[in-house]
Amino acid sequence: MARKQGVTPELDKLSCDLMGQAFDLLAEGKDVEPMLAVQDAAGHTASYEFVDDGIEACIEGAHDKVGELVSAGGDPKADLATPVRYAIVYEGAIEDEDGAYEDAVLLEFGEEGYEAYSAYSLFKGRGEHEKFAWTDPAPAGELEPLI
């Protein structure tokens, strides 16, 4: 099955809301542990945070959770039917053209029937509240879709 390219308004909102949560945490001086937001066709959203392991294992846990929720037909405790879109956000670093690493929020997102993508936003001023700043999201490439 050929997947569509692009991002629906629903996925864009889900992704932006999740990135906004990450920026709020960073502005307060907190770490951004991998977070997952999934949404069903009716617009019900559930969120999950992954903190009990190293960053790589937590990201893998978020990936696995998407598949588990799809297989289970959703999460009745969260009033979520089978997810049709997802976004995963976590803290990391991006190498610049000089080989230095800059702090970044990384985002993975996808929707049923569409290609999946990644993006990042650089940030500065962790814990500086109003002085906290970030860049507009930049594309980081296509990923293997989780839905």
Side-chain angles (χ1 to χ4, degrees):
M1 172 178 96
R3 290 181 174 266
K4 299 176 195 173
Q5 298 218 335
V7 178
T8 65
E10 294 85 1
L11 180 57
D12 185 53
K13 181 173 181 351
L14 182 72
S15 299
C16 288
D17 288 350
L18 192 59
M19 278 196 94
Q21 290 176 31
F23 293 146
D24 289 346
L25 289 169
L26 291 165
E28 293 173 17
K30 298 177 182 171
D31 292 333
V32 176
E33 303 295 343
M35 295 184 292
L36 164 67
V38 291
Q39 192 173 70
D40 63 24
H44 298 120
T45 303
S47 298
Y48 305 88
E49 191 171 355
F50 300 84
V51 297
D52 293 334
D53 215 331
I55 185 76
E56 302 292 332
C58 287
I59 294 166
E60 185 177 326
H63 291 165
D64 292 346
K65 183 71 173 180
V66 174
E68 291 168 12
L69 290 167
V70 170
S71 294
D75 183 350
K77 292 184 285 186
D79 192 30
L80 179 77
T82 304
V84 296
R85 63 190 64 89
Y86 65 91
I88 300 169
V89 69
Y90 49 93
E91 191 175 339
I94 299 295
E95 186 176 8
D96 68 15
E97 49 286 332
D98 297 327
Y101 285 89
E102 298 185 65
D103 291 333
V105 171
L106 293 99
L107 174 71
E108 301 178 14
F109 53 101
E111 186 162 356
E112 184 176 47
Y114 285 81
E115 296 291 339
Y117 303 99
S118 61
Y120 68 92
S121 289
L122 302 176
F123 68 87
K124 291 184 180 181
R126 179 196 304 267
E128 295 183 18
H129 301 281
E130 291 82 28
K131 292 182 181 178
F132 177 78
W134 66 90
T135 63
D136 287 336
E142 289 186 18
L143 299 172
E144 186 66 33
L146 300 176
I147 294 180

